[in-house]
Every structure is written in structure tokens, then in C-alpha cells.
Amino acid sequence: NDIRLPPRTYWGSTGVYDIHEEWVYDATYTKLREVKLAFNLPPRLVERLPVASGQVSLFARNLALWTDVPHVDPESSRDNSNAQGIEYSQYPTPRSIGFTFSVTQ
């Protein structure tokens, strides 16, 4: 084979491999990954319980994402390889909200 082809011609100019400029976005983003709000139980409440101290907390993960890329988390990937930045039917990043109650003896 002595005919030189640019990679774009070799791989085709349509389909998944064709990346048009209008679909390329800035890769910068800001993400609110985790927020935790914790309260120590007041001593007057703790002395009624058979514990030394207690804490109640509320947490939330993946609350907000600020990016130019619409509907896609820049950290997501289209498969289990290192293919970040290629949007191809990713699931949205799940948000989780919960609470904890912890005590020490």
C-alpha cells in the first residue's frame, strides 16, 4: 500500500469517529461533590442516654454541576475504558441524600 491517507479519511467521515467543532465543549467544570451538616447532641440530652456523646448529620452527594456541556457529567465515560469526554449514552450521575446518627460510649 503506497497511498497515504489522513486518519480522518481512513476511519471515515461519518458516525461516531467524526467529531465536528460544534460538538466540542470547554472541559472546565465545577462540581459540588459532597455537603455534610452535622450537629452534636446537647449534653443535657446525652446525659439521659447511656452514651458519652452523639452526633446527627445530614449529607448529600453530587448536588450540582456547573459546565458548558449540556446534560453530561464531564467525569463520566461511555464505557469502562479511559474514554472521558466522549458522550455516548451515559447514565446521569446519581444524587444521594441521607443522614447518620452516631454515638460513642
Side-chain angles (χ1 to χ4, degrees):
N1 188 358
D2 60 352
I3 300 171
R4 293 183 179 234
L5 294 175
R8 184 178 187 99
T9 304
Y10 178 77
W11 289 105
S13 61
T14 60
V16 175
Y17 301 108
D18 192 21
I19 300 174
H20 297 284
E21 186 175 335
E22 65 264 20
W23 304 113
V24 176
Y25 295 94
D26 186 3
T28 59
Y29 64 95
T30 303
K31 191 174 196 179
L32 183 58
R33 292 183 191 275
E34 184 169 350
V35 174
K36 182 177 179 182
L37 183 61
F39 296 100
N40 292 323
L41 295 178
R44 67 176 189 274
L45 179 63
V46 173
E47 48 186 48
R48 297 180 192 171
L49 303 172
V51 297
S53 65
Q55 186 181 68
V56 177
S57 61
L58 178 68
F59 65 88
R61 294 187 180 103
N62 296 322
L63 287 179
L65 174 66
W66 294 276
T67 180
D68 289 338
V69 184
H71 315 298
V72 178
D73 184 350
E75 291 181 333
S76 66
S77 178
R78 68 181 180 94
D79 56 21
N80 61 356
S81 69
N82 190 19
Q84 287 87 4
I86 304 295
E87 192 278 318
Y88 191 69
S89 303
Q90 287 98 323
Y91 290 112
T93 304
R95 289 184 181 138
S96 60
I97 299 173
F99 70 95
T100 60
F101 179 72
S102 60
V103 294
T104 57
Q105 292 283 359

